[in-house]
Amino acid sequence: MRNFVTGVVRVWNLPFVKYLVITVIGIVLVGFVGENSLLAHLRNKYYISSLADEIEVYNTRYQNDMRQIRELNHNPKAMERIARERYFMKHEDEDIFVLSDDDREFQPLANDDETAQ
């Protein structure tokens, strides 16, 4: 055990070992520990890029909505088209058929239901 301790002390007294240990500790602290580490920096960069993508999506929606508002203000036929497409409004002499791709579960009618007859 004494030989080991003297060997460690002898190695520690070499001029480059102290600098190497301090450098390794510094790299570990800067790279992996704390809120200013490289890992936190990469995590924040990823978060910023996802926020930038989200901003782009919202800007696209905003541009489409503004275009639609301008169209509604200047074209009276546009209001009728939107009312027909979104709210299924119709003229009195028209019938509307809505086709849906929704998967609905089949529910058989009960035999005692008067409205089924």
Side-chain angles (χ1 to χ4, degrees):
M1 180 73 166
R2 186 173 175 172
N3 288 336
F4 177 73
V5 172
T6 56
V8 169
V9 170
R10 193 177 304 149
V11 169
W12 181 254
N13 287 331
L14 292 174
F16 68 90
V17 173
K18 295 175 188 174
Y19 299 116
L20 180 67
V21 170
I22 297 299
T23 304
V24 169
I25 290 173
I27 289 173
V28 168
L29 287 176
V30 169
F32 302 104
V33 179
E35 64 183 41
N36 294 326
S37 68
L38 290 176
L39 291 177
H41 182 71
L42 293 175
R43 194 177 319 120
N44 289 338
K45 272 190 135 180
Y46 175 75
Y47 183 65
I48 288 171
S49 68
S50 68
L51 288 177
D53 293 341
E54 196 172 329
I55 287 172
E56 184 178 327
V57 167
Y58 286 126
N59 282 335
T60 304
R61 283 187 193 172
Y62 174 76
Q63 293 298 326
N64 289 336
D65 290 343
M66 289 304 295
R67 183 180 44 81
Q68 195 170 37
I69 286 172
R70 281 192 300 274
E71 184 179 350
L72 285 173
N73 286 335
H74 298 297
N75 188 2
K77 292 280 188 182
M79 191 177 300
E80 179 181 348
R81 180 179 53 83
I82 289 175
R84 288 174 172 270
E85 289 176 1
R86 289 192 185 166
Y87 303 111
F88 305 114
M89 293 183 173
K90 63 180 181 104
H91 291 289
E92 297 213 9
D93 60 342
E94 292 180 333
D95 291 328
I96 294 180
F97 298 97
V98 178
L99 304 175
S100 175
D101 291 341
D102 295 342
D103 294 334
R104 296 189 182 187
E105 190 173 313
F106 176 72
Q107 298 174 351
L109 296 173
N111 290 338
D112 58 345
D113 188 7
E114 294 177 10
T115 60
Q117 294 177 354

